[in-house]
Amino acid sequence: MNNWITKTADELAQALAAGEVTSVELVQAHLDRIAAVDGNADAGLHAFLHVDAEGALAQAKASDERRAAGTPASYLDGVPIAVKDVLATQGVPTTCASKMLEGWIPPYDATVVAKIKAAGLPIIGKTNMDEFAMGSSTEHSAYGPTRNPWDQTRIPGGSGGGSAVAVAAYEAPLALGTDTGGSIRQPAAVTGSVGVKPTYGGISRYGLVAMANSLDQVGPVSRTVLDSALLHELVGGHDPLDSTSLTDEPTGFVEAAREGAKGDLTGLKVGVITELQGDGYQPGVMARFTESLELLKAAGAEIVEVSCPNFTHALAAYYLIMPCEVSSNLAKFDAMRYGLRVTPAGDPSAEDVMRASRAAGFGDEVKRRIIIGTYALSSGYYDAYYGQAQKVRTLIQADFAAAFEQADVLVSPTAPTTAFKLGEKLDDPVAMYLNDLATIPANLAGVPGISLPNGLADEDGLPSGFQIQAPAHSDARLYKVGAALEALLEKGWGAPLLSQAPEIEEVRA
Amino acid sequence: MSAAPVKLMSFEKVLENFDPAMGLEVHVELNSNTKMFCACPTEFGAEPNTQVCPVCLGLPGAMPVVNVKGVESAIRIGLALNCEIAEWCRFARKNYFYPDMPKNFQTSQYDEPIAFEGFMDVSIEGADGQPEIFRVEIERAHMEEDTGKSLHVGGATGRIQGADHSLVDYNRAGIPLIEIVTKPIIGAGERAPEIARAFVGQLRDLIVALGVSDARMDQGSIRADVNLSLAPKGETKLGTRSETKNVNSLRSVERAVRYEMQRHGAILTAGGSILQETRHWHEDTGVTTSGREKSDADDYRYFPEPDLVPVAPSREWVEELRATLPENPTVKRNRLQIEWGFSDMEMRDTIGAGAFGLVEQTVAEGCAPQAARKWWLGELARRSNEDGVEISELGITPADVAKIQSLVEAKTINDKLARKVIEGMLAGEGTPEEVIEKRGLAVVSDEGALSAAVDKAIEANPGVADKIRDGKVAAAGALIGAVMKEMGGQADAGRVRELIIEKLS
Ligand SMILES: [Zn+2]
């Protein structure tokens, strides 16, 4: 294994600055790793749907020229990155892991993509995901599932399984994901990586193919808390093309992470959410969670128990609001202007073409959500479903507000269990939805959350995740507390958690 | 598709048995330089799909951003219609399928319009010939975006039937629209068609005064939907309504109301029931035909547009905009009637001919008010009737009329020649000066030529000349006529008269 690929983004940035390595070498090392382990739908990790070797090498070359001229575009100039396939990339296929968008090449870049390009990060490829970001296991990708590098018979989490695996398996040091109900944090938890869902609006959504606009959030995926902070600072901030994006300056995250890494949390009040532990939580996950609390306490934090009684309704509210927005967002996929078109035999009408294309182009989970959303918004049901769900959303926001009166940050396990087996919950959507129990409230309330690896469950030796949530606009607090816990954990382990992961067998697609 | 002939009831008979209720929905396309939710230009008549971007094409991932100018125009229209302006409102998604709507939902406003609860005082001619005010209450004025436009190719009619393929032009998709919706207009009786026309006309005047739209009905920048229902006389419950879409001239608004009243009347009297449906107006034949039947399937599944932040116009801004409102057209009319010295009847005729704004602009160009009125209501009104076009769309501008009048006053031409100038201008021969030049229409002011022509007339009419010599100056008219004939009408009649009297006294 080329030792460059196991380095963090921060280490790579330093090496590039010191002239120890070139961006072209870094990109090539990662392309080699992808070629060796990523495989395809049948074998290997299958974290990538599309690898843009040519584009990434060209960007790397340009980056090296900037370095040589002494004019790097940013601290991370030259560090490769992978991008979830739900973000529009000009000239590079963007499919949302759906047959519906097979072959679609956007004529424009998502704002985050434009920002990482401007900052000089070569985009190595587009990562696998659940179709249109709907799912918690990346098994709903129309192009085949992504596999968990810790155990390839298991799911990598979803919907951003591809981004999490790319980072966890050393195929890319950084990735961009999107989190609507936990799609960054939950895969991070089950793959031993770090994932951040910023405050709603903290990063532009322009160019993110919407699943549920009021919940969607772009965020970083990395192997360390500091790396996420570096990426967050780079892509955050207001975007005139997204009027819901915040005007907050994306600063102070890196500083907070560096400060936190010193391991001192004196005076910090940590709230443990009563409702996000106990029933349904795997014992090994709870054991690691309890140990992490002890570490925080040892670092000077005060632990308090806080109750968020309405969190028990969060899942139900989420599974109404999200499909309502889905049903509207996906109506544009009518086979008329881009993507798939299936023309039935005979003399089909436009409606026949649409019907056939949608039948062939959308997977079961997508169809399920479109139908639920269409029903819930229809006249006569709107108040009973969408209206009620919005009320619950308000109550959850109130729960957060009350909890943040008592604590600076709120913590819980990120996901109730470690990674389950591929196929295990495919026929039981509700069981699958339960995986996002702990992550969904943050999306409903718009508050930020981070997941970082906090050990391996005793039962199965698989990673578990620790979630930290902060009030809206207080993302820096996540980086401080996260980096502190990370430093304390790694002191115990003697190395990053990922170094305990099994060697990945080479498949070469 | 040919519709079976529809039986109509006479208008008088309808009124004997029914009370009409009317609702008008007027779409105004704003003259903003950019679209409602993106920065694309909005120029009319551009090559198809040259004014589009990911946002107005509804490409995956694209997001809308509200055009502040559009909000400003909506507020100004709302204020001019005496509406309340919402302190906080949102856009909603109106989800439905339409072939030329790229997102398959329209970004509009649903239960939170920017402006609501207003009114407009519509001036119509009362029974005694005096102006009468009819108050039309405004339910709301809200912001939305226009759709694209389909072009059906290969058929004979340009309609979808018989076409072998269809093309879509998205240039219009996303152009800002304001929809103004009245409350049901009841108690109008026989005046309903006239009130409908007057409302739309007055609204158009207001829009023009506000400068927020080109207000060209022929280009679709103002389109009216006419909802109509009849209730048996004395009944207060509203009947089932039909909605006639996209009526695009003032005359058609009036005719469509009248037609629908007669159609409903016939159906109801025959024991039938009215279908709640949309209908299409046919300008050429003056009838409506059935469009889409409205049913429970019309479920727009509205919900707040999550990609747009709410619109919360500050009260300071609203008051600033209120201060910039132009004078209310009704108030302005009264003021100008006094300034111009028009009689009530002259004023009413001017408004009735749709020439009020034209007279105003002509006066602003330096023309005397009575002269301006004379041209617009005389020769130009006659021409517009003959050609079947709105007087404002004849192709002669207020500046042209002012110029013509100034040429008359300078005695370059006389009234008769001026009519020929207008004829030439309508034929596309250019400016008044150019027409005069091309047609050689200038009055002959060459004293020698005039004097010779007068001598000739005196010689040819010795009897008349004697009468004038005897002091009967009134008889000069006959000689003037003869001179004018001789000179092809291109003589200054006043000067001719002077010459005759000089020579015969
Ligand atoms: Zn556009």
Side-chain angles (χ1 to χ4, degrees):
Chain A
M1 201 154 64
N2 179 312
N3 72 344
W4 286 115
I5 64 173
T6 59
K7 303 265 189 237
T8 67
D10 183 46
E11 288 165 347
L12 295 177
Q14 290 178 36
L16 284 164
E20 293 162 14
V21 70
T22 65
S23 179
V24 168
E25 285 168 341
L26 289 183
V27 166
Q28 192 56 56
H30 286 96
L31 289 171
D32 291 347
R33 173 70 170 176
I34 292 169
V37 302
D38 205 58
N40 52 38
D42 301 319
L45 299 173
H46 198 217
F48 284 87
L49 290 176
H50 181 83
V51 176
D52 183 20
E54 202 181 313
L57 285 168
Q59 289 169 42
K61 191 162 167 282
S63 168
D64 289 334
E65 283 162 8
R66 281 191 298 273
R67 288 275 181 198
T71 55
S74 72
Y75 179 67
L76 293 178
D77 193 342
V79 177
I81 189 168
V83 173
K84 190 177 179 182
D85 203 32
V86 73
L87 292 161
T89 43
Q90 186 172 6
V92 173
T94 300
T95 66
C96 298
S98 179
K99 291 283 180 204
M100 206 63 181
L101 274 177
E102 192 164 293
W104 184 57
I105 298 179
Y108 75 108
D109 275 329
T111 297
V112 276
V113 170
K115 283 192 175 187
I116 54 177
K117 279 185 180 173
L121 285 76
I123 298 172
I124 212 157
K126 304 295 290 290
T127 59
N128 202 4
M129 54 187 281
D130 284 301
E131 184 179 0
F132 286 108
M134 298 179 202
S136 306
S137 68
T138 316
E139 290 168 287
H140 294 290
S141 166
Y143 304 100
T146 297
R147 297 177 188 84
N148 193 317
W150 291 80
D151 174 353
Q152 294 197 30
T153 67
R154 291 180 188 265
I155 61 112
S159 64
S163 284
V165 170
V167 165
Y170 305 114
E171 294 175 277
L174 292 171
L176 281 173
T178 62
D179 189 313
T180 307
S183 301
I184 290 175
R185 291 162 290 160
Q186 183 257 7
V190 301
T191 59
S193 49
V194 174
V196 179
K197 177 228 170 274
T199 299
Y200 182 73
I203 296 175
S204 169
R205 285 187 293 118
Y206 185 81
L208 158 60
V209 181
M211 166 157 82
N213 324 53
S214 75
L215 303 158
D216 292 342
Q217 183 56 58
V218 179
V221 181
S222 64
R223 290 195 289 269
T224 67
V225 173
L226 174 62
D227 281 2
S228 274
L230 285 164
L231 182 54
H232 191 171
E233 282 200 4
L234 208 60
V235 296
H238 184 67
D239 176 10
L241 297 176
D242 173 1
S243 68
T244 69
S245 67
L246 301 175
T247 51
D248 300 11
E249 283 297 322
T251 54
F253 306 150
V254 172
E255 196 189 332
R258 293 198 193 280
E259 175 63 30
K262 293 173 188 162
D264 181 9
L265 294 175
T266 308
L268 182 82
K269 270 182 131 177
V270 174
V272 178
I273 303 169
T274 313
E275 287 76 11
L276 297 182
Q277 50 188 320
D279 273 2
Y281 282 79
Q282 192 177 318
V285 168
M286 281 313 296
R288 296 295 84 78
F289 178 66
T290 311
E291 283 169 16
S292 297
L293 291 181
E294 289 305 317
L295 289 176
L296 292 176
K297 216 191 278 182
E302 183 192 342
I303 310 291
V304 294
E305 186 92 4
V306 298
S307 176
C308 295
N310 295 294
F311 279 22
T312 50
H313 307 301
L315 200 66
Y318 176 81
Y319 277 97
L320 282 169
I321 292 167
M322 175 271 293
C324 285
E325 295 183 16
V326 163
S327 71
S328 169
N329 286 329
L330 268 56
K332 70 174 64 158
F333 296 100
D334 56 11
M336 291 296 130
R337 287 156 295 142
Y338 42 77
L340 182 76
R341 178 179 295 175
V342 175
T343 310
D347 183 21
S349 66
E351 281 83 356
D352 295 333
V353 172
M354 272 178 237
R355 196 176 295 120
S357 302
R358 286 169 169 170
F362 288 139
D364 289 345
E365 185 61 24
V366 172
K367 286 175 185 160
R368 179 155 40 231
R369 295 189 190 190
I370 291 171
I371 291 166
I372 292 170
T374 304
Y375 179 80
L377 279 178
S378 58
S379 73
Y381 298 104
Y382 182 93
D383 291 335
Y385 294 120
Y386 186 80
Q388 283 297 106
Q390 290 291 13
K391 283 181 192 158
V392 171
R393 188 173 190 170
T394 308
L395 293 173
I396 286 165
Q397 284 161 351
D399 274 3
F400 268 114
F404 284 124
E405 293 277 302
Q406 301 165 59
D408 300 309
V409 292
L410 301 177
V411 300
S412 71
T414 309
T417 67
T418 56
F420 51 87
K421 292 269 187 189
L422 285 160
E424 191 183 321
K425 297 186 181 176
L426 214 44
D427 297 326
D428 188 354
V430 177
M432 176 101 71
Y433 298 164
L434 286 170
N435 269 282
D436 296 338
L437 200 66
T439 48
I440 280 172
N443 298 83
L444 289 171
V447 305
I450 187 172
S451 175
L452 64 144
N454 69 334
L456 306 177
D458 305 318
E459 305 88 348
D460 47 25
L462 293 170
S464 73
F466 186 85
Q467 176 176 243
I468 308 165
Q469 300 178 94
H473 311 281
S474 302
D475 304 48
R477 214 178 282 174
L478 301 179
Y479 292 111
K480 182 177 177 192
V481 180
L485 179 60
E486 179 181 62
L488 296 167
L489 285 163
E490 289 190 7
K491 206 189 266 177
W493 301 329
L497 183 70
L498 279 171
S499 62
Q500 300 179 41
E503 278 292 314
I504 297 162
E505 219 176 291
E506 298 205 356
V507 286
R508 295 207 177 266
Chain B
M1 189 179 65
S2 73
V6 178
K7 261 191 27 211
L8 297 183
M9 179 183 251
S10 83
F11 192 66
E12 291 67 32
K13 200 85 191 206
V14 171
L15 292 165
E16 270 172 39
N17 300 312
F18 299 100
D19 289 322
M22 203 165 53
L24 299 165
E25 292 172 19
V26 182
H27 287 86
V28 177
E29 195 177 285
L30 297 180
N31 59 4
S32 145
N33 292 327
T34 56
K35 293 187 180 180
M36 192 66 209
F37 301 113
C38 64
C40 286
T42 56
E43 203 181 309
F44 182 80
E47 281 292 300
N49 296 311
T50 53
Q51 305 190 147
V52 294
C53 73
V55 175
C56 54
L57 286 175
L59 291 187
M63 289 176 71
V65 175
V66 173
N67 177 347
V68 178
K69 188 84 197 305
V71 176
E72 181 182 300
S73 296
I75 294 174
R76 295 182 74 223
I77 289 174
L79 290 171
L81 291 171
N82 306 294
C83 288
E84 303 284 324
I85 304 301
E87 295 196 18
W88 191 91
C89 64
R90 275 185 297 195
F91 282 95
R93 289 186 183 184
K94 184 179 183 182
N95 292 284
Y96 65 104
F97 176 75
Y98 196 58
D100 31 20
M101 193 169 59
K103 294 173 290 189
N104 281 341
F105 61 79
Q106 183 184 27
T107 309
S108 180
Q109 291 196 294
Y110 175 48
D111 50 357
E112 299 167 309
I114 182 99
F116 51 94
E117 298 288 337
F119 63 87
M120 180 190 242
D121 283 334
V122 176
S123 178
I124 48 170
E125 189 177 331
D128 56 355
Q130 291 301 304
E132 192 176 286
I133 296 296
F134 191 96
R135 178 162 288 192
V136 172
E137 299 202 47
I138 307 291
E139 167 94 33
R140 58 191 284 157
H142 71 247
M143 303 176 274
E144 61 182 34
E145 59 178 338
D146 211 341
T147 61
K149 206 172 138 194
S150 296
L151 184 70
H152 306 295
V153 185
T157 57
R159 302 214 172 131
I160 196 161
Q161 291 81 17
D164 57 33
H165 66 281
S166 299
L167 300 170
V168 185
D169 176 7
Y170 291 107
N171 280 353
R172 214 177 66 184
I175 287 187
L177 293 179
I178 305 296
E179 182 174 347
I180 295 146
V181 182
T182 69
K183 292 191 176 169
I185 302 166
I186 43 182
E190 60 174 347
R191 322 295 301 276
E194 190 194 340
I195 287 170
R197 178 190 182 136
F199 172 77
V200 177
Q202 223 172 290
L203 183 58
R204 187 188 62 179
D205 291 349
L206 184 67
I207 298 297
V208 169
L210 288 167
V212 294
S213 168
D214 303 334
R216 297 273 308 249
M217 288 193 92
D218 61 330
Q219 287 183 359
S221 55
I222 289 195
R223 317 193 277 274
D225 296 347
V226 174
N227 292 297
L228 187 109
S229 67
L230 294 183
K233 263 216 160 343
E235 190 92 48
T236 51
K237 198 167 157 273
L238 296 180
T240 305
R241 69 193 166 87
S242 60
E243 182 178 3
T244 305
K245 300 289 257 184
N246 295 334
V247 185
N248 61 1
S249 76
L250 295 182
R251 185 162 158 262
S252 294
V253 168
E254 183 166 356
R255 288 166 78 204
V257 170
R258 204 177 167 91
Y259 180 87
E260 281 298 284
M261 283 172 71
Q262 291 179 265
R263 190 180 67 85
H264 282 217
I267 293 171
L268 293 171
T269 306
S273 52
I274 302 299
L275 284 179
Q276 188 174 328
E277 61 179 356
T278 59
R279 297 186 68 84
H280 300 302
W281 169 252
H282 302 277
E283 182 84 43
D284 43 353
T285 49
V287 303
T288 68
T289 56
S290 179
R292 192 168 48 92
E293 196 170 323
K294 284 227 171 191
S295 67
D296 295 341
D298 269 330
D299 184 349
Y300 294 122
R301 293 179 285 118
Y302 283 103
F303 73 98
E305 166 57 87
D307 281 342
L308 289 171
V309 287
V311 175
S314 75
R315 295 300 97 180
E316 292 74 25
W317 189 34
V318 171
E319 290 316 310
E320 265 170 42
L321 293 175
R322 196 192 300 278
T324 68
L325 286 185
E327 187 177 13
N328 175 296
T330 313
V331 172
K332 180 170 167 179
R333 265 170 209 182
N334 295 336
R335 176 175 63 78
L336 288 179
Q337 184 179 347
I338 294 164
E339 279 181 30
W340 294 346
F342 281 13
S343 69
D344 286 350
M345 200 200 286
E346 285 169 342
M347 197 65 188
R348 203 167 51 243
D349 289 350
T350 306
I351 293 164
F356 175 76
L358 296 167
V359 169
E360 187 198 352
Q361 290 166 48
T362 309
V363 171
E365 294 283 348
C367 184
Q370 285 294 0
R373 189 185 65 81
K374 184 188 74 184
W375 288 116
W376 285 110
L377 268 66
E379 183 63 9
L380 292 166
R382 190 176 66 79
R383 293 278 182 179
S384 89
N385 273 338
E386 274 175 20
D387 301 353
V389 295
E390 297 279 337
I391 191 165
S392 56
E393 276 142 34
L394 264 178
I396 304 254
T397 66
D400 294 334
V401 173
K403 181 79 212 172
I404 290 169
Q405 178 61 22
S406 77
L407 291 168
V408 169
E409 280 166 19
K411 299 202 155 91
T412 308
I413 51 175
N414 55 27
D415 278 14
K416 194 172 157 200
L417 292 172
R419 283 193 277 276
K420 289 193 175 151
V421 171
I422 288 168
E423 186 182 280
M425 290 179 75
L426 292 175
E429 291 168 21
T431 64
E433 289 93 336
E434 283 164 359
V435 176
I436 291 169
E437 172 74 28
K438 276 184 204 153
R439 295 198 171 192
L441 292 178
V443 164
V444 175
S445 48
D446 174 346
E447 282 285 321
L450 281 180
S451 179
V454 169
D455 290 344
K456 200 174 166 192
I458 292 170
E459 209 178 302
N461 298 282
V464 180
D466 284 345
K467 280 186 189 166
I468 296 168
R469 286 195 188 92
D470 290 347
K472 290 185 180 151
V473 180
L479 286 186
I480 295 169
V483 173
M484 292 303 269
K485 199 172 171 189
E486 171 76 19
M487 314 239 5
Q490 288 174 241
D492 174 355
R495 181 70 192 129
V496 171
R497 185 185 185 84
E498 283 169 19
L499 281 172
I500 291 168
I501 294 168
E502 259 171 47
K503 287 178 192 277
L504 296 177
S505 53

